Amino acid sequence: MTCVQSQGKLWRSIWKGLALGTLLTSFLILLYSYAAPPLSLSSTDNPVAFQCFAPSRPVDSRRLTNSSSKGTSQCQPQHNLFFLKTHKTGSSTILNILFRYGQKNKLRFAFPRGRNDFDYPDYFQHWQVEGYQPGACFNVICNHMRYQHSEVRSLMPQDATFVTVLRDPALLFESSFQYFARVIPLTWKLQGSNNVQKMEAFLQSPQSYYDSSGFNAHYLHNLQAFDLGYGNDVEDLNVKQVLDELDRRFHLVMLLEYFDESLLLLRELMCWEIDDILYFKLNARKDSGASRLSPEMYQLAHKWNAVDTLIYQHFNSTFWKRVEEYGSKRMRQDVLELRRRNEELKSECIAGGGPVDSSKILESGLQPWQPIGEKTIQGYNLKRKISPKHKQLCRNMLTPEIQYMSQLGADLWVTKLWGNIRSLIKW
């Protein structure tokens, strides 16, 4: 009886929150559309001036550095970058790197209107950019979107570098299920006392539960293919054509499982310094390091996410070809150097030496965004005594996405409104 009452309260809480949030958000969006003045282009204080369609050298023709360990470079640092921020792939950490680089070099960001994503899960459209005007051009686009190549291409200079990041599809499915389950109605009827049991029930018979037209259903089926702009049903796709298109469109596909190697390939491609790619792991779920998938569930997750698996296998192969071109010995040395530098900064910046639960984060400016109904995403506390040389760097490296976007001039009124509503109803 107690269990039934508890489930009843949960359902009432979910529907109450959804109804209240939808009504208030819709009303305020309508009000804002009539009352708000036109927005100016989103940028840092001194955006770099350039023309989108000016002739320039293609990315592949750049002369790359021969020895990163010696710090000698034979190329010019590149400022124009599109990063497709895929879900649950460590992309928030990469975003922080891009925000810091853009801020340091006074680059112009294309930010979403009023929120921290480009109307996801709808396809990206150029008018979704805050303050868009015909002919607008940007150095960096990097927030969540459902990719649409022609729309992105029209906003970037001809020499822009296109990058994204992928993850083992089974592990991504596990992470996505854990993070988004409360906002995917089709999971509510699954049997089980926790998300792990519900996930196993789903994987044993996904077609019994899955409805492609269901609200937020895309989070549970070939999510990476969906983010890349494709359908998430293998029967509806020409996978060879998909892979050929992705090969043409992206100069680098990074892999979460080889994060440091990926960052070094990005650094090589963009001709950046090692200081530009230092990082702390952001937006990580508590206990996210160890998978709870059994070998059987791991295989079932790959089978269910067959499109993502084919895409990942392809780019895993091309990734190691890039590493060979970089130099295997040089890569090992540079990975050790990057990790050493990260550890030095961790000792300098982070109180306690590592992440803590959200309830233990002392500054609101360092509080990460949480999934609905949970407090599972960890963050950091800054040390009180930090050398003047590293004080601002430490703070920037630990600042979550939403707070950093606000610092860079993004107008996040919808995201902040939704956050206030959630706080009000304690959701």
Side-chain angles (χ1 to χ4, degrees):
M1 183 66 178
T2 303
C3 181
V4 173
Q5 290 176 340
S6 175
Q7 289 182 345
K9 289 180 180 179
L10 173 62
W11 277 78
R12 284 194 296 274
S13 173
I14 289 172
W15 287 116
K16 175 184 174 182
L18 285 174
L20 181 61
T22 300
L23 286 172
L24 286 177
T25 302
S26 299
F27 171 75
L28 287 170
I29 289 174
L30 180 63
L31 181 65
Y32 184 84
S33 67
Y34 283 103
L39 296 170
S40 60
L41 284 176
S42 172
S43 65
T44 48
D45 290 339
N46 297 295
V48 172
F50 55 85
Q51 294 180 343
C52 259
F53 301 105
S56 58
R57 284 188 301 168
V59 174
D60 294 340
S61 70
R62 298 174 194 158
R63 294 184 66 195
L64 300 178
T65 178
N66 288 324
S67 176
S68 61
S69 60
K70 295 181 180 179
T72 58
S73 176
Q74 298 176 336
C75 59
Q76 293 297 317
Q78 302 298 305
H79 292 329
N80 303 321
L81 177 68
F82 169 73
F83 172 64
L84 178 59
K85 187 179 189 293
T86 49
H87 285 84
K88 315 311 297 175
T89 58
S91 57
S92 293
T93 301
I94 299 172
L95 211 65
N96 183 272
I97 291 172
L98 303 184
F99 286 164
R100 285 186 279 122
Y101 187 84
Q103 187 176 38
K104 182 180 75 171
N105 291 282
K106 297 180 171 53
L107 304 183
R108 177 174 291 179
F109 288 88
F111 284 133
R113 289 188 173 196
R115 47 194 282 180
N116 61 309
D117 64 64
F118 290 103
D119 292 355
Y120 187 88
D122 292 340
Y123 276 106
F124 175 74
Q125 302 283 338
H126 59 264
W127 54 262
Q128 294 165 352
V129 174
E130 180 182 315
Y132 171 78
Q133 297 174 1
C137 200
F138 301 90
N139 296 110
V140 183
I141 305 178
C142 56
N143 291 93
H144 274 311
M145 66 168 66
R146 190 175 185 198
Y147 186 53
Q148 186 158 219
H149 182 73
S150 60
E151 292 290 305
V152 172
R153 181 68 271 179
S154 70
L155 297 175
M156 298 296 295
Q158 289 293 86
D159 67 347
T161 303
F162 281 59
V163 176
T164 190
V165 58
L166 301 178
R167 182 181 186 180
D168 181 311
L171 301 181
L172 182 138
F173 173 84
E174 178 186 23
S175 180
S176 183
F177 194 103
Q178 300 299 318
Y179 190 92
F180 294 111
R182 285 179 179 263
V183 295
I184 308 175
L186 66 86
T187 68
W188 300 349
K189 61 184 177 181
L190 289 166
Q191 297 297 313
S193 59
N194 56 53
N195 277 345
V196 174
Q197 292 179 3
K198 290 175 178 289
M199 177 178 62
E200 290 180 350
F202 179 89
L203 285 174
Q204 287 169 354
S205 184
Q207 297 293 356
S208 300
Y209 304 101
Y210 187 76
D211 177 4
S212 60
S213 64
F215 182 69
N216 282 338
H218 62 277
Y219 287 120
L220 296 185
H221 194 205
N222 292 309
L223 177 56
Q224 293 178 115
F226 186 89
D227 285 353
L228 287 162
Y230 299 99
N232 52 5
D233 193 334
V234 68
E235 284 78 14
D236 298 332
L237 291 176
N238 181 332
V239 176
K240 184 180 185 305
Q241 180 180 338
V242 167
L243 296 177
D244 288 343
E245 285 181 351
L246 293 175
D247 276 331
R248 291 195 303 270
R249 291 172 176 175
F250 287 91
H251 299 99
L252 174 64
V253 175
M254 306 166 71
L255 302 179
L256 174 61
E257 288 75 22
Y258 305 99
F259 196 73
D260 292 338
E261 291 88 347
S262 294
L263 288 178
L264 288 163
L265 291 178
L266 175 65
R267 171 188 175 243
E268 177 91 340
L269 188 62
M270 299 298 291
C271 197
W272 291 353
E273 300 297 330
I274 197 165
D275 286 351
D276 297 322
I277 61 169
L278 299 178
Y279 71 93
F280 300 135
K281 188 176 181 180
L282 298 179
N283 204 41
R285 197 178 75 249
K286 186 178 181 180
D287 301 326
S288 62
S291 172
R292 299 180 184 180
L293 288 173
S294 67
E296 178 189 2
M297 292 298 112
Y298 181 82
Q299 294 300 324
L300 288 176
H302 270 287
K303 182 179 179 180
W304 172 241
N305 296 281
V307 179
D308 277 3
T309 297
L310 292 171
I311 293 173
Y312 183 83
Q313 289 173 342
H314 173 78
F315 285 106
N316 185 293
S317 176
T318 61
F319 181 87
W320 293 109
K321 292 178 182 177
R322 299 291 290 269
V323 170
E324 289 180 9
E325 294 171 1
Y326 186 97
S328 299
K329 180 179 179 181
R330 177 181 163 219
M331 178 62 77
R332 289 192 296 271
Q333 293 173 341
D334 289 352
V335 165
L336 291 175
E337 176 64 12
L338 176 60
R339 291 174 180 173
R340 183 187 69 80
R341 298 285 296 278
N342 283 335
E343 287 299 317
E344 285 181 351
L345 275 179
K346 184 184 293 185
S347 299
E348 174 81 6
C349 302
I350 301 175
V356 296
D357 293 343
S358 62
S359 61
K360 297 180 181 178
I361 299 174
L362 303 178
E363 294 186 46
S364 61
L366 299 181
Q367 280 280 358
W369 186 266
Q370 298 290 342
I372 286 178
E374 298 182 11
K375 297 285 185 180
T376 54
I377 302 300
Q378 294 187 308
Y380 300 89
N381 285 312
L382 272 173
K383 277 189 173 181
R384 292 187 177 182
K385 293 183 179 180
I386 302 174
S387 67
K389 177 183 177 181
H390 292 130
K391 192 170 185 179
Q392 190 58 54
L393 174 62
C394 289
R395 178 169 292 280
N396 289 345
M397 291 180 70
L398 298 179
T399 299
E401 173 185 340
I402 291 172
Q403 293 92 319
Y404 212 143
M405 287 178 66
S406 294
Q407 291 178 24
L408 293 173
D411 179 8
L412 300 176
W413 75 273
V414 174
T415 298
K416 291 177 180 178
L417 170 64
W418 178 232
N420 291 334
I421 292 172
R422 288 178 57 187
S423 297
L424 181 65
I425 63 177
K426 296 181 180 180
W427 199 19

